[in-house]
């Protein structure tokens, strides 16, 4: 009776499905998303291009990291009496203003400042509102009473008048605007989060856990 020879396992030098690197997975995900959602990919490009242009084109320096400027002019660079109110050209893609300053560079620097203020205000308000809500929800009989009276006092003050008053005291600086708007938005968001926390505190599973 013949005995069937055992089949030898197939050995490959390289695996058929090699594991992709992190950059490969990210690239594959971006390509697949663009194929499935072309309108979403187009919207993402419209959103990212101005942000990346505002960050990288004017150049920046953060400690030892320095990225050179890719535009030929600074936002306040001009020669008195020259290049006044010029039209779009290769040197000035958007022309110049009444002082001869490049409008494209001024647009990039202004958009960078706007993004910085917006992101900073969002970060400050988020951290502040979440922290205050957690503390007030835990000490609802003591700290919450004091914080709610403080929030009501600040809420009655007009935001614009408060910003003007702080500008007159500390100067019209971006840091003053960021801190003022961040704190005001933090109080407003904290009030909304507090109502959510109070609703959650009254749910049956919370009462069951306490008992």
């Amino acid at each position: 009776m013949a005995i069937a020879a055992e089949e030898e396992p197939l050995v490959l030098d390289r695996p058929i499905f090699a594991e992709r690197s992190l950059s490969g997975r990210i690239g594959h995900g971006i390509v697949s998303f663009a194929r499935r959602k072309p309108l979403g990919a187009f919207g993402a490009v419209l959103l990212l291009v101005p942000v990346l242009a505002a960050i990288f084109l004017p150049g920046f320096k953060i400690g030892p990291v320095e990225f050179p400027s890719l535009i030929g002019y600074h936002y306040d660079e001009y020669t008195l009496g020259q290049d006044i109110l010029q039209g779009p050209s290769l040197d000035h893609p958007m022309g110049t203003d009444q002082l001869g300053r490049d409008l494209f560079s001024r647009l990039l620097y202004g958009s960078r400042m706007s993004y910085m203020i917006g992101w900073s205000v969002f970060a400050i308000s988020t951290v502040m509102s979440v922290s205050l809500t957690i503390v007030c929800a835990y000490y609802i009989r003591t700290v919450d009473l004091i914080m709610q009276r403080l929030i009501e006092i600040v809420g009655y003050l007009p935001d614009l008048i408060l910003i003007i008053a702080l500008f007159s005291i500390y100067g019209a600086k971006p840091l003053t605007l960021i801190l003022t708007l961040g704190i005001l938005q933090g109080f407003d968001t904290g009030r909304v989060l507090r109502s959510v926390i109070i609703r959650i505190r009254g749910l049956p599973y919370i009462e069951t856990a306490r008992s």
Side-chain angles (χ1 to χ4, degrees), residues 19 36 42 46 54 58 76 92-93 98 101-103 114 116 122 140 158 168 174 179 181 201 204 211:
E19 185 178 357
R36 289 184 290 105
F42 181 70
L46 292 181
D76 59 353
H92 306 285
Q98 70 276 10
R101 297 172 296 188
D102 183 65
L103 291 178
S114 299
M116 183 187 70
F122 172 75
I140 196 169
S168 63
L179 293 178
L181 292 179
R201 283 174 59 94
S211 61

Side-chain angles (χ1 to χ4, degrees), residues 78-86 96-101:
Y78 69 97
T79 302
L80 187 62
Q82 295 184 7
D83 300 333
I84 297 175
L85 297 177
Q86 287 190 351
T96 59
D97 61 1
Q98 70 276 10
L99 296 178
R101 297 172 296 188

Side-chain angles (χ1 to χ4, degrees), residues 52-100:
L52 296 177
I55 293 175
F56 293 103
L57 288 185
F60 61 86
K61 182 177 182 181
I62 304 177
V65 180
E66 182 177 0
F67 190 83
S69 176
L70 300 179
I71 53 179
Y73 297 91
H74 196 258
Y75 72 95
D76 59 353
E77 177 184 351
Y78 69 97
T79 302
L80 187 62
Q82 295 184 7
D83 300 333
I84 297 175
L85 297 177
Q86 287 190 351
S89 61
L90 293 178
D91 292 335
H92 306 285
M94 293 185 178
T96 59
D97 61 1
Q98 70 276 10
L99 296 178

Side-chain angles (χ1 to χ4, degrees), residues 16-208:
I16 299 177
F17 300 101
E19 185 178 357
R20 291 192 181 97
S21 61
L22 178 61
S23 60
R25 291 198 298 268
I26 293 175
H28 178 72
I30 292 174
V31 172
S32 62
F33 173 76
R35 289 177 177 176
R36 289 184 290 105
K37 304 287 185 179
L39 291 180
F42 181 70
V45 171
L46 292 181
L47 179 65
L48 291 177
V49 167
V51 175
L52 296 177
I55 293 175
F56 293 103
L57 288 185
F60 61 86
K61 182 177 182 181
I62 304 177
V65 180
E66 182 177 0
F67 190 83
S69 176
L70 300 179
I71 53 179
Y73 297 91
H74 196 258
Y75 72 95
D76 59 353
E77 177 184 351
Y78 69 97
T79 302
L80 187 62
Q82 295 184 7
D83 300 333
I84 297 175
L85 297 177
Q86 287 190 351
S89 61
L90 293 178
D91 292 335
H92 306 285
M94 293 185 178
T96 59
D97 61 1
Q98 70 276 10
L99 296 178
R101 297 172 296 188
D102 183 65
L103 291 178
F104 182 63
S105 62
R106 293 178 65 81
L107 176 65
L108 291 177
Y109 278 97
S111 59
R112 171 188 286 185
M113 181 62 65
S114 299
Y115 289 132
M116 183 187 70
I117 292 175
W119 292 338
S120 302
V121 169
F122 172 75
I124 293 174
S125 63
T126 302
V127 173
M128 179 179 172
S129 60
V130 172
S131 303
L132 288 179
T133 303
I134 292 175
V135 174
C136 291
Y138 193 80
Y139 302 101
I140 196 169
R141 298 183 182 276
T142 55
V143 178
D144 182 66
L145 294 176
I146 300 174
M147 290 304 303
Q148 292 309 309
R149 303 295 82 77
L150 178 61
I151 291 175
E152 290 176 357
I153 293 174
V154 175
Y156 285 128
L157 298 175
D159 295 348
L160 182 59
I161 295 178
L162 183 60
I163 292 174
I164 294 174
L166 292 176
F167 273 11
S168 63
I169 296 173
Y170 299 104
K173 302 177 181 179
L175 181 60
T176 306
L177 181 62
I178 289 172
L179 293 178
T180 305
L181 292 179
I183 293 174
L184 293 177
Q185 291 295 325
F187 281 143
D188 293 339
T189 309
R191 183 182 303 175
V192 177
L193 292 178
R194 177 181 177 272
S195 63
V196 176
I197 292 297
I198 291 178
R199 181 181 62 84
I200 294 176
R201 283 174 59 94
L203 292 178
Y205 72 91
I206 298 295
E207 300 293 339
T208 303

